[in-house]
Each structure stands twice: as C-alpha cells, then as structure tokens.
Amino acid sequence: MRIKNLLYGIVASTVLFSTAVVAKTDVIWWEYSEEGSGLNDALVKYIQDGFNQSQEDVELEIIFKEGEYNEATRTALLAGVGPDIISSSGATYVAKYASGGFLMSLEEVAEKNGWKDKILPWAYNTGVFGGNLYSLPKNYESMLYFYNKTLFDENGWSLPTNLGEYEALAGMIQSKGMYPFAYGSSGWPMTHEHLAGNYLNTVAGPDNVYKAMIGEKEWTAPEFVEALELLKKHMMAGYWSGSLENYYAVGWDDFSAQFHNREAAMLQIGSWGFEIATALEGDEWGWAPLPILTKNGGEPNYQLSVGGTLSVNAASKNQDAAAEVLNWIVSNRETIVEFTKSRDFGAWLMPLYYEASDFGDDVDPRLRDYLVDFSERTGKGHYGYTTWTYYPPEAGTHIWKDMEVVWAGDISVKEFLGEQQELWEKARKNNELLPIAAR
Amino acid sequence: MTSWLFLAPVLFIHLLVVAVPSLSSLALCFTDWNGFGKINFVGFENFIELFDDRVFKKAVTHNLIWTGLFLTVPIALALLAAFLLTGVRRFQMFYRFVFFFPYILASIVNCLIWKYLFHPIHGLAAFFRDIGWESLATSPLTTKETSLYAVAFVDGWHFWGFLVVIYITAMYQVEESLYEAADIEGASKWQKFRYVTFPSIRPMFLFSFLIIIIWSVPAFDYVYILTSGGPAYSSEVVANFMYFEAFRNMNVGYASAVGALMFVYVFTILGFFWTLRKLGWEI
C-alpha cells in the first residue's frame, strides 16, 4: 500500500512539475545583431536574464538577426508569423506596420501601468498613430559637437555662438592644416541627413521646420533655401574631412581616427559619438549643443530623435506576456541606466524621466551634464527635429540621397526643396505623416 | 505522358518558387502597394511616373553604358589573354587559376580591396600625391564624372577571368589539324586567330555576349557596395534604383513596375537571340 502511495505521489508530483514547466509562456523577441560591439551579450545580461530572473511565468528569449533586420521582420509579418516582440529602426516602420494591422495597440497596457508618467512625452508621442500607442522608444539621440579641448586651449580657440564665429573658427582650424570637422559618409550615406538636419534646425530654426512639417509653411521658403545654401557653401569649403570627395570616401573608422589623431578639431555627430569621444587618448575632449548659425546666434536646441522602437506583434499568441516584458523594461529605470551605462550611453538610453541621482558618481560628468542639459533644454521648448524620426519615408530618403545632387551642382537648392515639398504633399495626401506633437 | 510525369516534380517546384512569385510581382506593378497595407489598383500610373523620373532615366542610361563597357573591354581582354594562354605549355593551370581567382572571391571582398585602393586619403591617391602627380590624386569612386566607370572597372576586374576560362575551354576544342593547315599555308598568329580560332569559338563567344547583356540588367552588388549609386546618382543603375524604391521608399508597386520593365527587356533580348538561332546562327 505504501509503495502504491509512493508511486501515486511520484506520478502526481511529476505531472504537477511538468505542468508548471509547460505553463511558462515563451516570448520571442527579434533584435538587430551587433555581435562585434558586445551589445548582444549586454542585452541578454541586462534585459533577457534580468526579466527572466524577475518572475517565473514568462520565459523571454532574444534572437539576434544578422543583416537587413527590417526586411526579415517585414517578410515574417506579411506571412502572419514573426516574433512576439518586434524591434524596428524607427517611427517610419512603426507607421507602416501599424497601418497594415500588424501591431497590437499598447494603449491599454500604457494606461494601466502609467507609461505616460515614465516616458518623456515627445518620445512617447512618436509611437502614437491614430490615437493609439503602438511602440515604445528604445533609445533617444540628438546631434552634438564634440571637440578636442586640449587643441582648443593650445590655440586659444573658443566654441562659436553664431555664424560669424563658426566660419572664423573653421578658417583658423583650416589654416593650421586640420579639418574643422571629422566626418564622412562612406558605408552610411545617411550622414548627409545629419548635416541637412543640423542646418535646417540651426539656420532656419525649429519653429519653421515644425511649420513646414505640419503644412503651414512651404519647404521652398527663403529660410530653408538659405540653410541648405549655407550647408553647400561649407561643404564645398571642405569643413568635413577637407573636401566633398574625401567626405564621400571617409567612414566611421576613418573619421574616428581623424578626431583621435588631431587631423580634425571637432566632430559634428549624434550623441552616439560619445563612444568616439571617450576613446580619445592624450587630449581632453568636450561637447556642446550645436550653435545657432545666424548673424546673432541664439539659444541652442537639441534635435529630438528616437533610434529604434519596440512593439508587440498583433499575430502573437502571447500578447499579454510580451506586453509584460515591455512594462518590465519601462518600469525598471535602474536596470536601464545600468545597461546604458555599460554602453557609454550610446545605446539603450530610453527616454525615461531621469534624475541626476540615477547616474551615480562613476559616470563621466560630461555625459551626465549632457543628459541633464538635454532634459532641461528640451523641457523649456528648445528642441528641433531629426529627419529620421519625423520625415515620411520618401522625403526622408530624398533629404540625404538627393542632397548629393545639390552638392554636385546638378540641381539648385530651390529645386531640391521643391521636390521635398512635393514629397511632403504626397505623404500628407496618403496619410503617411508621422506623429508630431504641437510646439 | 511519362516524360511529363518525370518533369512534374521540377515543374511544381518551379511554379511554386519562381513562376507564381514572379507573376504576382508583375501584378503588383499596377498597384500602389507600400509593402504592408492595402493594395489599390492604379493602372499604368507607375509606368507614367517612371518615364518622367529623372533618376530612373539616368539609371537606364547607366545600364546601357555598363552593358556597352562589358561587351567590349572584358571581352577583348579575355579573348587576347585566352589566345595567348593556349600557346603556353608550362604552368597553364596556374595561369588559369590566377585569372579565375578574382571571380571566386566574394563581391564584398573585391569591393573592400578596391575601395581602399581608390581611397582619396589612404589609397593610391596618397601615393600619387607623394610623388607629385596631383592630377591623379583623386578617388574615382567619389568623383561623379568617373564613379560609374570605376565601379564597372572593379566589377570587370573580377568578371573577365571568367571569360578567359570559358574562352580557353572553347579554344581547346578547336581541331589541331586546322592550325597545322594554317601553318602550312604560312598564316600569321593574327590570321590564325581571325580565320581559325574565332570562327571555331563563335558559339561560345555569342553565348558570352548574350549572358553579358542579360547579366548587365540586374547589376547591383558592386554598385551597392562601392557607391550606392552615388555620388549624385552618377553610378545609379536600375537594380539599385529598384531596391531603394522597394525597401527605402517603401514603394513596392513602383519598384515592381521597374522589375516588369527589366523583365520585358530581358525577354526582348532573348527573343532577338532566339530569332538569330532560327535564322541558322550557331548560338
């Protein structure tokens, strides 16, 4: 009898144990692979393992995809499959996925868990389409100046605050046989849009850019023509890597080396450039927001940008579990700070409401100053717009791909902006504009 | 009937993975599909827009130049090299391997090598600058006047070895007795090539002509890796244009219209060669 009971006990506990194991819900998440940089391992450590250890009901697995990640995702979604959690390059993709009905609305989850109180409002709004939240911003970026402080001190140079000072500084740097800025487009021609966005936001100004984006102003207005004419003039003067030909041939490694080897005095790049600046050896470096390139200058602004998003697949069988993962991320600010700190704040800097105390004493004060300054300045309304977060697809491609045609002298700036205007009108007509919060 | 039964599995697979996707892709050229949402029929709107698209027109012109370049330079060089190599007795396999080697390298490897060589700061330009030849100290890939030719040069550099090998193979099939007769007649090396070798390898030559015309239509990888069609569309080709429309601008319907035109062009070329064959040409 005892043996019989023992056997029953073993069978019953085995069944119960198996049920418990089987009951665990699997959540699959596809993510870009950045094997070489170590980001994959960090993502597994901080997010996958962090989430799995925090509870016992859901098992998260992050699968890293090589190559054209967005294409793999699109194909899977069209086939009615794909991962439970979808990562994308930005709002352009989210807009298309949402319009095709491939994403689950996160509105209810966001409301229930108070995401609006945790995520910076401008970044939150980049995921709202037709009144529904479809994506979480994964990382926020802005365009900055990095400069070789030692070099500046040695030569008595100071950071420019208006157009006159900017051009004078560039001239002084060039007279020393250096490039004013290290930069180039080889391997990533979208760098053209970084420059175009910088000039639109610092010459024409974010108010005008905003008006053009919402259709209250034409892109052919004199302010925009002036901005891109100035960019062309500076490009032809060799501000970036010495000449247009060099700029086209120089890639990430080259321009990082230019900055590190004193071949260039400054670097005009996104906040991901902290990775380059922190690797500078021997010299001190500094950073600054972009100066306003008008006669009298003005209050600098930070261009808003969301680099990467997270959404839940509408075809997922585990939507609740997938949403639980996203909520865990949004609600665990400490883990996110630890994670992004491990990446020098170049990746996974989620646009959450941070406080200075979040970063600890071991964070480089220059990085902390940037993060705090970004929050304060943008909070006061001094913000602009990056093309890759706010432009509809065709206008977003045109702004960098056809900029080369302007620089080659094949079309005028006015003609180029006329084409931009047409593409914005087409996007407006086809309801393809991305969400832009009122200023 | 039995033959059809034997063919059935292959036909089925072909229908499933080639014919049906190709036909559905062709059907998309009459729509405004963005790759995700609703599909709307737009008739010939995509084609009307295409014929007015300055970039598409530029890309078509570049494809024609590309085809012209590949039908002349690599063919001429390969014929010469193959003819000279057939006279080499020692280390012949070694020479064949040397010529064929760039062809078996991955395009990304070839491109990176040449991208570095053509770099205006570190590459050959730096060398020319050092020895005072300033006019040569530029990068052909980043200059709009030369970018298309520079990309075609790199692609041709990897491709011509393939032609050398197929021409050598064809030349070895030529009857030795024909050369002996030519020797008896006192024919020069050029006369032997002109009257014996070339007529004998004409089917292979025309075959290479045909594949070059067809392969020039989807030319993509070297352009994409080396210049992405730039600077300022100076090296833009049709396949790269189509890729950008489909995957960057998300105009899948528009890109399908480009694909449909490429399809029509290739079929026209094939029809032309088929007609020549019907007329008795050895192809």
Side-chain angles (χ1 to χ4, degrees):
Chain A
M1 189 63 189
R2 273 187 182 173
I3 292 172
K4 206 175 173 184
N5 284 345
L6 185 66
L7 281 173
Y8 279 137
I10 291 170
V11 170
S13 58
T14 307
V15 169
L16 280 172
F17 179 71
S18 313
T19 313
V21 171
V22 171
K24 223 169 184 184
T25 311
D26 290 328
V27 169
I28 303 295
W29 167 346
W30 283 4
E31 185 57 64
Y32 309 90
S33 178
E34 281 192 44
E35 191 68 59
S37 72
L39 182 59
N40 295 6
D41 293 339
L43 196 55
V44 168
K45 178 183 165 189
Y46 289 102
I47 304 296
Q48 181 180 293
D49 295 350
F51 174 77
N52 287 339
Q53 283 158 16
S54 73
Q55 44 73 55
E56 290 177 345
D57 301 327
V58 180
E59 183 74 15
L60 171 66
E61 187 189 355
I62 302 177
I63 297 173
F64 296 97
K65 294 277 174 184
E66 301 285 346
E68 284 281 354
Y69 169 85
N70 290 312
E71 293 320 311
T73 304
R74 179 163 81 163
T75 308
L77 292 179
L78 285 170
V81 288
D84 302 299
I85 295 178
I86 296 163
S87 185
S88 94
S89 303
T92 307
Y93 287 92
V94 179
K96 297 287 180 188
Y97 295 157
S99 72
F102 299 116
L103 302 182
M104 171 190 140
S105 167
L106 297 169
E107 200 60 32
E108 207 178 301
V109 188
E111 202 170 320
K112 189 176 144 198
N113 296 290
W115 286 4
K116 273 190 177 169
D117 300 328
K118 295 172 182 170
I119 302 171
L120 296 178
W122 66 267
Y124 184 95
N125 287 332
T126 58
V128 178
F129 297 87
N132 276 304
L133 180 74
Y134 285 103
S135 68
L136 269 187
K138 202 166 64 179
N139 192 35
Y140 76 94
E141 303 156 339
S142 192
M143 298 302 293
L144 297 172
Y145 269 19
F146 293 95
Y147 63 100
N148 186 322
K149 196 168 178 300
T150 312
L151 204 55
F152 268 56
D153 292 343
E154 282 172 9
N155 290 282
W157 298 331
S158 52
L159 286 168
T161 57
N162 58 43
L163 178 59
E165 289 176 12
Y166 179 84
E167 291 185 333
L169 174 65
M172 286 188 281
I173 295 170
Q174 283 178 320
S175 70
K176 292 272 179 187
M178 287 178 274
Y179 309 133
F181 295 104
Y183 216 32
S185 66
S186 180
W188 190 256
M190 286 74 107
T191 51
H192 309 344
E193 71 180 322
H194 301 161
L195 302 181
N198 291 348
Y199 277 68
L200 289 172
N201 282 285
T202 60
V203 181
D207 287 332
N208 285 321
V209 173
Y210 172 72
K211 281 179 190 163
M213 288 196 298
I214 61 168
E216 280 182 9
K217 199 178 190 92
E218 298 243 317
W219 284 104
T220 48
E223 299 90 327
F224 302 123
V225 176
E226 188 195 339
L228 297 188
E229 286 287 6
L230 190 65
L231 170 60
K232 185 181 175 184
K233 179 186 152 194
H234 291 165
M235 178 56 81
M236 296 308 142
Y239 279 23
W240 294 274
S241 296
S243 70
L244 180 61
E245 285 71 31
N246 286 358
Y247 166 79
Y248 285 143
V250 163
W252 175 276
D253 291 342
D254 293 317
F255 64 72
S256 300
Q258 286 175 357
F259 187 69
H260 293 157
N261 301 336
R262 289 188 162 207
E263 287 170 57
M266 296 183 282
L267 177 64
Q268 200 177 112
I269 197 174
S271 42
W272 56 90
F274 274 109
E275 189 183 330
I276 297 173
T278 50
L280 179 67
E281 288 176 0
D283 288 347
E284 276 285 301
W285 61 271
W287 68 271
L290 307 186
I292 299 300
L293 299 181
T294 55
K295 194 178 165 195
N296 299 318
E299 192 64 45
N301 61 68
Y302 286 109
Q303 293 164 52
L304 306 178
S305 158
V306 167
T309 64
L310 294 173
S311 303
V312 174
N313 189 345
S316 164
K317 292 190 177 82
N318 306 314
Q319 289 184 345
D320 290 345
E324 198 181 322
V325 174
L326 298 191
N327 186 47
W328 180 85
I329 293 171
V330 174
S331 310
N332 275 274
R333 205 170 64 190
E334 283 168 19
T335 307
I336 291 298
V337 169
E338 208 181 329
F339 179 16
T340 189
K341 196 157 67 173
S342 77
R343 308 298 305 165
D344 281 337
F345 299 90
W348 273 86
L349 181 60
M350 283 192 87
L352 305 175
Y353 279 105
Y354 296 114
E355 290 159 16
S357 57
D358 285 333
F359 301 106
D361 295 333
D362 55 333
V363 173
D364 188 317
R366 290 165 291 194
L367 279 160
R368 194 172 48 210
D369 290 349
Y370 158 65
L371 295 168
V372 173
D373 194 51
F374 180 93
S375 295
E376 286 177 3
R377 213 176 270 277
T378 54
K380 288 178 191 159
H382 300 302
Y383 58 84
Y385 303 91
T386 53
T387 55
W388 63 95
T389 301
Y390 291 97
Y391 275 41
E394 275 192 85
T397 307
H398 179 268
I399 191 84
W400 60 266
K401 203 154 169 52
D402 286 64
M403 187 56 71
E404 293 182 0
V405 186
V406 176
W407 293 340
D410 293 348
I411 60 170
S412 68
V413 166
K414 188 92 191 256
E415 285 171 314
F416 171 80
L417 287 168
E419 291 177 352
Q420 272 285 308
Q421 182 62 30
E422 280 175 26
L423 293 172
W424 275 85
E425 280 166 12
K426 186 178 164 189
R428 191 164 283 115
K429 193 180 124 198
N430 295 339
N431 204 21
E432 285 178 341
L433 293 187
L434 301 174
I436 306 164
R439 282 183 79 80
Chain B
M1 188 59 196
T2 319
S3 55
W4 280 106
L5 280 175
F6 273 112
L7 272 174
V10 181
L11 275 178
F12 176 73
I13 292 169
H14 179 83
L15 276 173
L16 198 70
V17 301
V18 179
V20 172
S22 302
L23 288 172
S24 43
S25 171
L26 277 179
L28 286 175
C29 69
F30 299 109
T31 72
D32 66 352
W33 194 44
N34 65 11
F36 298 95
K38 251 174 47 184
I39 301 179
N40 300 311
F41 179 77
V42 294
F44 284 93
E45 207 176 283
N46 287 331
F47 292 95
I48 294 165
E49 209 177 313
L50 254 186
F51 291 127
D52 197 34
D53 190 320
R54 68 175 161 83
V55 182
F56 177 68
K57 283 190 268 194
K58 210 166 192 174
V60 170
T61 310
H62 291 163
N63 266 83
L64 293 174
I65 294 171
W66 184 278
T67 309
L69 286 171
F70 274 79
L71 284 177
T72 49
V73 183
I75 282 188
L77 283 173
L79 274 176
L80 178 68
F83 186 63
L84 294 175
L85 274 176
T86 49
V88 174
R89 291 282 172 262
R90 297 184 70 193
F91 305 119
Q92 218 212 60
M93 285 309 288
F94 171 74
Y95 287 121
R96 277 204 221 185
F97 174 74
V98 167
F99 282 111
F100 199 63
F101 185 67
Y103 191 72
I104 57 171
L105 281 178
S107 49
I108 184 76
V109 176
N110 287 333
C111 288
L112 288 179
I113 291 169
W114 283 99
K115 216 170 175 176
Y116 193 80
L117 285 171
F118 284 153
H119 198 288
I121 300 173
H122 315 297
L124 289 169
F127 168 73
F128 288 129
R129 199 174 295 116
D130 284 348
I131 60 170
W133 293 5
E134 285 294 330
S135 58
L136 289 176
T138 58
S139 167
L141 287 172
T142 59
T143 309
K144 72 167 186 167
E145 288 77 15
T146 53
S147 64
L148 180 70
Y149 302 99
V151 178
F153 168 79
V154 177
D155 197 352
W157 173 81
H158 114 279
F159 178 68
W160 83 295
F162 168 74
L163 292 179
V164 171
V165 171
I166 65 166
Y167 289 156
I168 284 182
T169 311
M171 285 176 189
Y172 272 113
Q173 310 301 316
V174 181
E175 284 285 332
E176 195 58 35
S177 57
L178 294 174
Y179 290 115
E180 288 166 7
D183 283 334
I184 292 167
E185 296 291 332
S188 66
K189 220 164 172 88
W190 163 248
Q191 284 170 322
K192 278 196 270 185
F193 176 79
R194 168 74 182 80
Y195 297 107
V196 178
T197 310
F198 190 71
S200 306
I201 66 160
R202 200 173 65 178
M204 186 58 85
F205 177 77
L206 287 171
F207 168 73
S208 67
F209 214 76
L210 175 66
I211 57 167
I212 285 175
I213 295 175
I214 293 173
W215 285 357
S216 294
V217 180
F220 173 74
D221 50 351
Y222 280 78
V223 174
Y224 182 77
I225 301 168
L226 288 169
T227 63
S228 287
Y233 297 112
S234 59
S235 58
E236 184 67 297
V237 290
V238 175
N240 194 53
F241 173 79
M242 184 172 75
Y243 171 82
F244 260 82
E245 284 300 329
F247 299 115
R248 289 270 177 207
N249 288 342
M250 298 180 185
N251 286 329
V252 177
Y254 194 59
S256 296
V258 179
L261 291 179
M262 289 165 79
F263 182 80
V264 169
Y265 174 75
V266 170
F267 262 72
T268 309
I269 299 295
L270 284 175
F272 175 70
F273 274 80
W274 181 78
T275 310
L276 288 182
R277 199 169 183 165
K278 282 280 167 194
L279 291 171
W281 285 51
E282 282 182 68
I283 299 175

